Amino acid sequence: MASVGGKHVYRSDLVRLLQQDDNLQPQLKTPQHVDRMKRSGDPYWSRVGGEKVLLLSALSWGFITAVTPLAAHITTAPLLLISLLRFLMGLLQGVHFPALASLFSQRVRDNERAFTCSVVGCGSQLGTLLIGGVGSLLLEWYGWETVFYFAGSLTLVWGYCLSTYLLKERERILTFEDLGKGFSLSAQTNVPWKRLFRKAPVWAVIIAQLSVASTAFTLFSWLPTYFKEKFPDAKGWVFNVVPWFVAIPAAIMSGLLSDYLITQGYKAVWVRKLMQVFGMGLSSIFVLCLGHTTSYCQAITFASVSVGLQTFNHSGITVNVQDLAPSCAGFLFGVANTGGALLGVVWVYLSGYLIETTGSWAPMFHLVVAVNVLGLLVFLEFAKSERMDVDMIHI
């Protein structure tokens, strides 16, 4: 890193500065130049516009969700068509969190990112809470089709409100010109990808996200079956709702705590690691307890505390991706999240095998804990908070 006029710049800016006339040098100091430098190497969705990508993907998957019941009834091969629709929805949802990560890294101050990520992350818990509560009632009273109609309609309404009240007119439409510009600029990225993936902190956050995403996928796939089989007389809406009531305030608290510690002078990397101790370490203790309890109340308590503590990941690895590589945060998060989803499929299958062969739920929870602890240890050992997406020099 070099200092020019009291401002920190990077090698690419120094080369540009030396090639420019003296009357152009003050431009290096402007916030606009710094913002352009931070966006250098952004992934495709950042070049096109994260808002456009979020809006288009949400409207598309909302429509797919709403028409899924119709597809099941109008075709002679419903399984094939529904599988195709779910595959398309997965692709569309896959760009959501990476696009958010790119937006946060560009538009949110460093000391406010944890709170912002946590509050936005609450949307996932709120949606799960809503579908878990209302969806359970709709399923019981009117059938499974109404759950899809309800979820799809909510997404379409959200998209309408977003485009009408929050986005400017130019941010609502994704044109062919935008698509071409996105692909053209993506090919001109300045991010040193090979050197980036040789950095231990980058792999630390990727492995941690792999662990978090895959174990969360495994838990959320098996917990409904766990409660239904182990406590058959319990009401389904209780374990579909209560943990998410706990998760929302826990997520907000984690964001406030993280940003507060940073403003008090604690190093960002120390705060990120602390959040992961809560999100992957302490939460694993309560996951472990789930496999050894016979009390319904205790099981609900353990599941709720575990889900609540897992929201601390929003203030840990989610923000750490933006610390390390703000110019390509969405891409890195997308890589880790995709790997986590694929690994989650493997863990779900392996968990089912363990449950069937042992006749016990404990091995599944042990697997989740082992993966989380491994990811946490790697993160604690190698994580850093300095930028890794640029070469920095000293003059």
Side-chain angles (χ1 to χ4, degrees):
M1 177 179 284
S3 180
V4 178
K7 300 292 183 180
H8 296 299
V9 296
Y10 297 93
R11 178 181 289 125
S12 58
D13 297 292
L14 290 175
V15 174
R16 216 175 293 125
L17 177 63
L18 294 173
Q19 293 173 344
Q20 291 174 339
D21 295 332
D22 292 339
N23 60 349
L24 294 179
Q25 290 185 14
Q27 294 179 6
L28 187 62
K29 303 178 183 179
T30 64
Q32 291 82 3
H33 178 87
V34 174
D35 184 59
R36 286 196 299 271
M37 180 186 68
K38 289 175 68 176
R39 289 199 301 266
S40 177
D42 277 347
Y44 175 80
W45 42 79
S46 298
R47 304 287 191 161
V48 172
E51 303 90 344
K52 295 179 181 180
V53 174
L54 289 172
L55 178 62
L56 178 63
S57 63
L59 290 175
S60 300
W61 86 59
F63 175 77
I64 290 174
T65 301
V67 302
T68 295
L70 299 177
H73 294 302
I74 64 174
T75 179
T76 57
L79 181 60
L80 179 61
L81 181 57
I82 290 177
S83 297
L84 177 61
L85 290 177
R86 302 303 288 178
F87 175 77
L88 291 175
M89 191 174 77
L91 289 179
L92 292 165
Q93 288 183 331
V95 304
H96 182 78
F97 285 107
L100 282 177
S102 291
L103 285 175
F104 294 155
S105 66
Q106 296 172 24
R107 302 193 180 188
V108 182
R109 296 190 184 116
D110 293 350
N111 62 348
E112 296 176 354
R113 282 182 187 162
F115 177 70
T116 304
C117 288
S118 298
V119 171
V120 173
C122 285
S124 298
Q125 282 84 42
L126 182 60
T128 306
L129 173 65
L130 189 61
I131 295 299
V134 178
S136 296
L137 297 177
L138 290 175
L139 179 64
E140 184 178 347
W141 294 346
Y142 302 108
W144 65 271
E145 295 91 346
T146 56
V147 180
F148 284 84
Y149 296 144
F150 177 68
S153 299
L154 280 183
T155 306
L156 294 174
V157 169
W158 175 85
Y160 171 79
C161 294
L162 177 65
S163 63
T164 304
Y165 301 110
L166 296 179
L167 297 183
K168 299 176 183 177
E169 185 174 355
R170 62 182 177 82
E171 296 173 333
R172 300 174 189 169
I173 303 174
L174 185 63
T175 64
F176 286 106
E177 182 181 356
D178 291 327
L179 294 173
K181 180 176 66 174
F183 285 115
S184 174
L185 290 174
S186 295
Q188 302 172 14
T189 177
N190 294 323
V191 176
W193 296 109
K194 291 183 179 179
R195 279 172 290 183
L196 184 66
F197 282 105
R198 290 173 185 165
K199 306 285 187 180
V202 173
W203 281 107
V205 75
I206 289 177
I207 291 173
Q209 178 62 28
L210 278 171
S211 302
V212 167
S214 63
T215 54
F217 188 84
T218 304
L219 276 178
F220 300 152
S221 296
W222 282 112
L223 274 181
T225 307
Y226 164 79
F227 278 103
K228 188 172 182 179
E229 288 190 0
K230 198 158 188 179
F231 310 102
D233 296 330
K235 293 186 179 295
W237 66 267
V238 175
F239 54 80
N240 283 333
V241 169
V242 173
W244 310 107
F245 264 125
V246 177
I248 293 174
I252 295 174
M253 184 184 71
S254 73
L256 290 172
L257 176 62
S258 179
D259 288 342
Y260 172 77
L261 291 174
I262 290 177
T263 58
Q264 293 301 303
Y266 291 95
K267 292 183 178 180
V269 65
W270 183 89
V271 176
R272 307 299 184 230
K273 290 180 178 181
L274 178 64
M275 295 299 107
Q276 287 310 120
V277 169
F278 284 103
M280 300 177 74
L282 289 181
S283 68
S284 294
I285 295 176
F286 292 95
V287 170
L288 195 62
C289 293
L290 266 175
H292 300 278
T293 184
T294 56
S295 167
Y296 179 68
C297 290
Q298 287 183 357
I300 288 292
T301 302
F302 293 149
S304 300
V305 176
S306 177
V307 170
L309 288 171
Q310 287 174 19
T311 62
F312 279 66
N313 296 320
H314 295 315
S315 303
I317 52 177
T318 302
V319 186
N320 189 234
V321 173
Q322 301 164 40
D323 295 332
L324 296 176
S327 67
C328 52
F331 174 79
L332 284 182
F333 190 86
V335 168
N337 225 30
T338 300
L342 295 175
L343 192 58
V345 174
V346 176
W347 294 153
V348 169
Y349 176 81
L350 181 58
S351 298
Y353 173 79
L354 292 174
I355 293 169
E356 184 177 353
T357 55
T358 64
S360 171
W361 284 93
M364 186 271 287
F365 294 115
H366 294 167
L367 174 65
V368 168
V369 171
V371 174
N372 261 338
V373 170
L374 177 62
L376 175 61
L377 291 176
V378 172
F379 187 78
L380 293 179
E381 177 66 24
F382 297 105
K384 294 185 182 299
S385 59
E386 293 82 11
R387 285 191 67 170
M388 299 285 164
D389 57 342
V390 289
D391 290 330
M392 307 173 77
I393 62 175
H394 295 278
I395 292 182

